[in-house]
Amino acid sequence: MRNKFDMQLELMNGQLIRMGELCETAINKATSALQQGSYDQAREVIAADEEIDQMEKDIERLCLKLLLQQQPVARDLRQISAALKMITDMERIGDQTADIAEIIISEKKSEANDISKIGKMSEAAAKMVRDSVQAYVNKDLELSRQVMAADDEVDLLFEDNKKELIEFIAQNKGDQGKEAIDLIMVAKYLERIADHATNIAEWVEFSITGIHKDSQV
């Protein structure tokens, strides 16, 4: 019985890794679509969001099956509970990459020029997602805490981006000013993605230690 349970846990871990990879790819592709003004890549991001949504349902179904059909001990319960929380955050990451893609498509954006800091935000956020899922699978407490610390870097990049773009808007009117507003929205979505990766890392910590940050006094 335990062997079957362990096999199903391994299956769940494999699906979580795949869902994390989809999120990471969607982040990178959304940024690339923005840089290149690529509608095709933007549409691929929206399609990936649908696959991420389906994976959330599949993993949730497997988690519930593990809870109902097996008799997990406390450590296993923490692992399964954490997975259920993590997939919610990953699903929202998919939504936010799709929101970036929608901006590109609806605003008919051509190639964006000076968005180096947004590129850095995207790279940092994608790494946070990858590391948070890897920390869960490998039960790596130190890596999960590195993800939490990395959120501060993304927050600083967001504030720098916002300040520069607001100054740009103040000096420019018309289409250029409107494009800068859209870029602020993109930066905000990336900042939220980093927040979701941090949430995942916090649930990883819970799965290992039994303590969640929000429960600490």
Side-chain angles (χ1 to χ4, degrees), residues 190-205:
L190 290 170
E191 190 254 351
R192 287 177 180 169
I193 286 169
D195 287 343
H196 287 303
T198 301
N199 289 346
I200 293 169
E202 289 172 357
W203 284 110
V204 172
E205 184 176 48

Side-chain angles (χ1 to χ4, degrees), residues 161-181:
N161 263 308
K162 185 170 70 171
K163 182 179 178 182
E164 287 182 12
L165 289 166
I166 288 172
E167 288 174 359
F168 181 85
I169 292 167
Q171 296 168 11
N172 295 271
K173 295 181 179 179
D175 291 341
Q176 283 188 314
K178 189 173 185 305
E179 181 170 340
I181 292 172

Side-chain angles (χ1 to χ4, degrees), residues 3-214:
N3 286 343
K4 181 180 178 182
F5 182 77
D6 288 340
M7 287 175 62
Q8 289 177 319
L9 278 179
E10 284 299 312
L11 175 61
M12 181 186 74
N13 287 345
Q15 290 181 327
L16 279 167
I17 290 170
R18 175 59 183 154
M19 192 174 180
E21 287 171 347
L22 284 171
C23 289
E24 183 185 354
T25 299
I27 296 165
N28 293 333
K29 194 162 283 189
T31 307
S32 177
L34 179 68
Q35 290 169 330
Q36 300 172 22
S38 171
Y39 299 159
D40 288 341
Q41 286 192 70
R43 291 187 186 97
E44 287 174 14
V45 173
I46 292 170
D49 178 41
E50 294 174 2
E51 188 174 353
I52 289 167
D53 289 347
Q54 184 58 51
M55 288 217 71
E56 181 196 24
K57 292 175 183 150
D58 293 343
I59 296 170
E60 182 179 49
R61 193 177 300 116
L62 178 56
C63 287
L64 293 176
K65 182 179 178 182
L66 285 167
L67 289 171
L68 294 172
Q69 295 184 359
Q70 307 294 338
Q71 293 182 329
V73 297
R75 181 189 61 205
D76 298 326
L77 275 172
R78 291 200 307 268
Q79 189 175 353
I80 296 166
S81 299
L84 284 167
K85 296 291 187 178
M86 288 165 61
I87 59 175
T88 298
D89 279 295
M90 284 194 274
E91 188 273 334
R92 288 174 182 165
I93 288 169
D95 288 346
Q96 280 147 6
T97 59
D99 288 335
I100 294 171
E102 289 286 359
I103 288 175
I104 297 164
I105 293 169
S106 64
E107 298 300 328
K108 297 182 172 59
K109 289 204 165 300
S110 58
E111 182 177 352
N113 292 318
D114 188 17
I115 59 167
S116 59
K117 283 195 176 122
I118 285 181
K120 288 178 183 176
M121 281 187 74
S122 173
E123 289 172 10
K127 185 176 187 301
M128 286 175 68
V129 173
R130 179 174 66 251
D131 287 350
S132 62
V133 176
Q134 207 59 51
Y136 173 83
V137 172
N138 295 334
K139 298 180 175 59
D140 190 334
L141 185 59
E142 179 58 33
L143 184 57
S144 71
R145 288 172 175 169
Q146 288 175 20
V147 173
M148 295 180 217
D151 189 43
D152 291 338
E153 176 192 346
V154 177
D155 287 344
L156 286 172
L157 284 168
F158 172 68
E159 291 301 326
D160 287 347
N161 263 308
K162 185 170 70 171
K163 182 179 178 182
E164 287 182 12
L165 289 166
I166 288 172
E167 288 174 359
F168 181 85
I169 292 167
Q171 296 168 11
N172 295 271
K173 295 181 179 179
D175 291 341
Q176 283 188 314
K178 189 173 185 305
E179 181 170 340
I181 292 172
D182 289 336
L183 290 176
I184 290 175
M185 288 298 300
V186 169
K188 186 61 182 175
Y189 286 133
L190 290 170
E191 190 254 351
R192 287 177 180 169
I193 286 169
D195 287 343
H196 287 303
T198 301
N199 289 346
I200 293 169
E202 289 172 357
W203 284 110
V204 172
E205 184 176 48
F206 167 78
S207 73
I208 297 168
T209 67
I211 299 170
H212 189 271
K213 180 181 176 183
D214 287 348

